[in-house]
Amino acid sequence: MKPQSVHILGAGIIGLATAAVLIDRGFDVTVIDREGPGEGTSRGNAAAIAWTDVAPLASPGIWKKAPGWLLDPLGPLTVRPSYAFNILPWMLRFMQAATPSAMKRSTQAIAALNGLALPAWERIWERMAWSNHVRHEGCLDVFDKPSQLAEARGGWQSQRNHGMDVRELSGDELREMEPDLSSDVVGGAYLPGWLHVDDPYELCRDLAAYVMARGGSIMKGEAVSVARTETGAIVRLEEGHIIKTEALVIACGAWSKWLAAEFGDDIPLDTERGYNITVPVPGVSFRRFIMLPGYGFVMSPIARGLRIGGAVEFGGLKAAPNWQRVDALVARAKRIAPNLNADHGERWMGFRPSIPDSLPVISRASGGSNVFYAFGHAHHGLTQAAATAEILASLIAGEEPPVDIAPYRANRF
């Protein structure tokens, strides 16, 4: 029987988008989070709706770059020595996902989900009257090394093969579009379909307000145990409060692994620790989202200034931030934007929930109960949130989802 009440664990962008779609479909919705709407990883998101990005992190070519990255403790990809043993099982699965056949499957599945991403967001934004907070300026892929520019062309062609508009440009053409780019920039590409939001944190807060205005609830609390019941699920919170629900959605990002294990699902979920700095007065002005694939980070113009962030650090959920990684991001950004001044920026570190094949888990939990998963979106959380919400709403309502969810099932591992 179709449930009437749904509780969502996690008030990040995935959980809140899901709540907004469910409440518009008539469900009684409660979102539970230990911190509050958008206070976790979603707060420092780079703000892109990167629906044109269909390449998984695991690819045959990454092994040419990975050794050099791993030898640099401040590089685009690093593993903290104290976490090397913990991440080994994840890395072995990552190697399996990097074969040509596995990469092809992952690319197709990312493209299917991303194909739903923008229309799904536009439906939510229209209902929220939020479209004026979305910037349709496109994205620039920017390179200062000819060898990296040449390597990028294969990825651009893959995007074109999936129907995306990618226009290769010279260094001069890029500087014509963004005059603050360095004279060292040799070329890149323009992706006009890319867009980004004013501020992902404000989007989270506005989604929460939207849900509450329609009768939904947002409550603080930390789940310490979860279990199935004959009529749905039960959640015990840290302070002892017990919640019974007809349907439960687990959308806790990097903290979802142990909750899924309670329902018999062993998910190879780990966290990519991402760093950024948001500079209110950066000394440079960009209209478009700037991707620096050769350096593994981005520059995103948002309402609060310029956000510079990215890179991947595997170090778990407990280690203290290594703020030298932010200093390294700024130093590399100055190679591309020489007039950048990041002296008074706000530093931040968050936990991207990452699965080796670059695909999230969007499915019912094992055992056929009214427990559903929505986590593991890594770099595509903001991009895929609304699409994930529409898929989950269909599953919870007992309807056929808008895309084939086989690639995202929890039991695929």
Side-chain angles (χ1 to χ4, degrees):
M1 182 167 50
K2 173 183 171 181
Q4 298 302 311
S5 72
V6 182
H7 283 69
I8 300 170
L9 295 181
I13 193 63
I14 303 293
L16 292 167
T18 299
V21 171
L22 286 172
I23 207 156
D24 281 339
R25 295 195 56 169
F27 290 90
D28 180 7
V29 178
T30 300
V31 182
I32 305 169
D33 192 276
R34 64 180 181 175
E35 295 179 289
E39 295 293 344
T41 302
S42 295
R43 185 184 185 100
N45 190 288
I49 308 297
W51 68 273
T52 64
D53 183 8
V54 297
L57 182 61
S59 65
I62 199 169
W63 299 114
K64 298 177 184 178
K65 305 173 184 177
W69 288 346
L70 291 171
L71 289 172
D72 180 0
L74 301 178
L77 172 64
T78 189
V79 177
R80 288 206 177 184
S82 60
Y83 200 69
F85 181 78
N86 302 72
I87 198 61
L88 182 59
W90 191 98
M91 284 293 184
L92 293 174
R93 288 183 179 271
F94 185 79
M95 290 173 65
Q96 295 172 346
T99 64
S101 59
M103 179 190 172
K104 182 178 180 181
R105 290 193 298 270
S106 293
T107 301
Q108 291 172 339
I110 294 171
L113 194 55
N114 284 7
L116 179 61
L118 183 54
W121 265 127
E122 287 174 335
R123 286 187 279 272
I124 292 178
W125 291 332
E126 183 177 1
R127 296 194 295 269
M128 291 174 62
W130 209 83
S131 298
N132 60 322
H133 296 287
V134 183
R135 305 182 181 197
H136 298 261
E137 300 289 352
C139 168
L140 296 180
D141 278 0
V142 174
F143 296 90
D144 62 352
K145 293 181 174 60
S147 60
Q148 293 175 351
L149 175 62
E151 288 178 10
R153 292 187 176 111
W156 295 336
Q157 188 55 51
S158 177
Q159 289 174 299
R160 294 186 188 104
N161 293 342
H162 286 90
M164 288 115 188
D165 185 2
V166 183
R167 308 171 191 176
E168 184 170 350
L169 301 176
S170 68
D172 287 339
E173 288 172 323
L174 289 169
R175 280 183 290 276
E176 197 171 313
M177 297 177 75
E178 297 289 359
D180 282 321
L181 290 174
S182 165
S183 59
D184 292 336
V185 169
V186 296
Y190 175 47
L191 291 80
W194 189 294
L195 61 160
H196 65 285
V197 300
D198 277 347
D199 191 325
Y201 178 55
E202 292 304 321
L203 175 55
C204 286
R205 290 171 61 87
D206 289 345
L207 281 166
Y210 179 83
V211 169
M212 289 188 289
R214 280 150 185 76
S217 300
I218 310 286
M219 62 180 292
K220 279 193 176 184
E222 183 170 0
V224 296
S225 69
V226 290
R228 288 187 182 89
T229 66
E230 290 185 3
T231 57
I234 187 169
V235 180
R236 185 184 298 273
L237 301 182
E238 188 175 42
E239 62 273 18
H241 188 48
I242 295 174
I243 295 171
K244 296 179 181 179
T245 183
E246 294 177 80
L248 177 67
V249 175
I250 295 175
C252 300
W255 287 265
S256 300
K257 182 181 177 73
W258 75 266
L259 292 168
E262 295 289 296
F263 297 106
D265 290 304
D266 183 14
I267 310 295
L269 176 70
D270 214 289
T271 176
E272 300 177 26
R273 296 152 60 96
Y275 293 79
N276 71 38
I277 183 170
T278 303
V279 188
V281 186
V284 293
S285 178
F286 293 116
R287 286 180 53 196
R288 298 162 186 85
F289 194 97
I290 309 293
M291 291 275 291
L292 291 307
Y295 295 112
F297 72 96
V298 305
M299 295 188 290
S300 175
I302 62 173
R304 293 193 287 128
L306 183 67
R307 178 162 290 169
I308 306 164
V312 173
E313 178 191 55
F314 288 102
L317 294 167
K318 297 180 180 179
N322 176 6
W323 295 121
Q324 288 182 301
R325 294 188 64 79
V326 173
D327 297 334
L329 285 173
V330 171
R332 293 183 176 109
K334 287 182 177 180
R335 298 179 190 176
I336 303 298
N339 294 324
L340 173 67
N341 184 342
D343 291 344
H344 302 290
E346 177 186 358
R347 300 181 179 204
W348 179 88
M349 191 270 286
F351 303 95
R352 303 186 197 100
S354 183
I355 294 175
D357 61 4
S358 296
L359 301 177
V361 175
I362 310 171
S363 76
R364 193 184 298 268
S366 295
S369 63
N370 275 341
V371 177
F372 302 86
Y373 298 147
F375 57 80
H377 296 74
H379 298 255
H380 288 117
L382 177 59
T383 299
Q384 297 171 349
T388 298
E390 291 192 350
I391 292 169
L392 280 179
S394 298
L395 293 174
I396 293 169
E399 302 168 357
E400 189 71 21
V403 296
D404 178 13
I405 66 165
Y408 324 112
R409 290 189 184 276
N411 63 4
R412 71 183 188 265
F413 303 104

